[in-house]
Amino acid sequence: ELAPDVICTQLDGSPEVVELCNNVDAHVLHFVRDTCFPFNFHVLSGVPGSPAPPICVANSQYTAGFVRSEFGVESRVLYPVVGGLEPTDGGPPAETDGDGRSPEGLGGRVLFVNPHPFKGGQVLFEAARRLREVRFLVLPGWADGVPDDWRRLANVEYLEWPVLDMGAAYRAADLVVVPTQLSEGFGRVAIEAQLCGIPVIASNHSALAEVLADSALLIDAYRDPDVWVDAIRSALAEPRRLRRLA
């Protein structure tokens, strides 16, 4: 007979999981990993049959602050453990002239994971359209495939999803971009890329600003494709700067 002392839940389906055990004297430990989708919060108002309010665990200080302000619930912060990735043997482009800049016309490989509008798909599409000299590697992620407008760009290569070895995907790139437009609860792609020794350019908001701090190039005007174009072009043209970010 199922008689847990603690029920651990996350994402959608959490209330149903708790309801299965609502006839036992169990505490609910609920993990909140995102602030954009309502299903993350369904159990925070209390669970019938539970002897106490849910204990909330958040994946960042940003997420914890959101839960506090929106639901009046305090959270314990537990940053995700990210590992199992090896640094690249390649890295940013090495060919430079005397002042550390790459010769005019030298491109690069830029990885973008999950071209969903929430993740900055439209913003980065505009950047890729203008940066024809740069090769963009696109991983679908949980986005519904690759949008048709992306497929019309000759400088875009699509990587198969799901990917069993994300490290290989990161190591195929010189630069990883995370142009998230809505809030980011943690920013796993950015951290994984850095663990592989790949520099990151990311939107400067929500948990991205928290977990990346000064270890990445953060974009304040993250809704502006022109700013992304300039940042990507500048970063790829200055390998020494890329290495400092990596």
Side-chain angles (χ1 to χ4, degrees):
E1 182 179 343
L2 184 64
D5 296 311
V6 178
I7 304 168
C8 298
T9 63
Q10 65 173 328
L11 300 176
D12 48 345
S14 296
E16 290 79 6
V17 170
V18 174
E19 187 176 354
L20 290 173
C21 305
N22 67 2
N23 61 337
V24 299
D25 189 26
H27 292 269
V28 175
L29 185 67
H30 184 64
F31 182 58
V32 180
R33 52 187 288 180
D34 186 86
T35 62
C36 293
F37 301 103
F39 55 65
N40 283 285
F41 314 114
H42 288 163
V43 304
L44 292 182
S45 58
V47 181
S50 178
I55 298 171
C56 184
V57 177
N59 63 345
S60 66
Q61 294 291 345
Y62 170 79
T63 301
F66 178 89
V67 171
R68 183 186 309 112
S69 65
E70 295 295 319
F71 301 96
V73 174
E74 292 296 328
S75 305
R76 304 178 187 185
V77 175
L78 180 64
Y79 289 108
V81 176
V82 181
L85 298 166
E86 296 297 328
T88 179
D89 293 328
E95 186 180 349
T96 65
D97 57 22
D99 65 358
R101 291 180 173 271
S102 296
E104 187 67 27
L106 181 65
R109 298 157 300 175
V110 176
L111 176 66
F112 176 39
V113 178
N114 201 0
H116 190 281
F118 287 178
K119 299 294 186 179
Q122 191 58 37
V123 170
L124 204 74
F125 166 76
E126 287 298 325
R129 187 175 64 84
R130 301 174 198 181
L131 289 167
R132 298 302 177 96
E133 73 277 17
V134 176
R135 191 75 179 168
F136 284 83
L137 310 177
V138 178
L139 259 177
W142 50 260
D144 187 16
V146 177
D148 290 340
D149 51 1
W150 279 93
R151 295 188 180 278
R152 291 193 291 269
L153 298 181
N155 60 327
V156 174
E157 177 183 346
Y158 313 103
L159 306 182
E160 291 188 6
W161 182 266
V163 175
L164 298 180
D165 183 5
M166 279 300 297
Y170 293 125
R171 292 190 295 270
D174 302 305
L175 177 67
V176 170
V177 289
V178 186
T180 305
Q181 300 296 291
L182 297 185
S183 64
E184 196 75 70
F186 177 64
R188 188 180 189 92
V189 166
I191 299 301
E192 287 183 342
Q194 290 184 328
L195 284 175
C196 290
I198 307 302
V200 172
I201 303 178
S203 300
N204 189 19
H205 65 72
S206 59
L208 290 170
E210 173 187 341
V211 301
L212 293 174
D214 59 356
S215 68
L217 177 59
L218 298 178
I219 303 297
D220 292 326
Y222 55 86
R223 300 190 189 280
D224 187 345
D226 289 334
V227 174
W228 286 96
V229 168
D230 291 343
I232 292 169
R233 181 176 284 144
S234 175
L236 291 174
E238 300 185 59
R240 291 178 185 172
R241 185 185 186 193
L242 277 185
R243 290 190 181 93
R244 288 195 296 270
L245 290 177

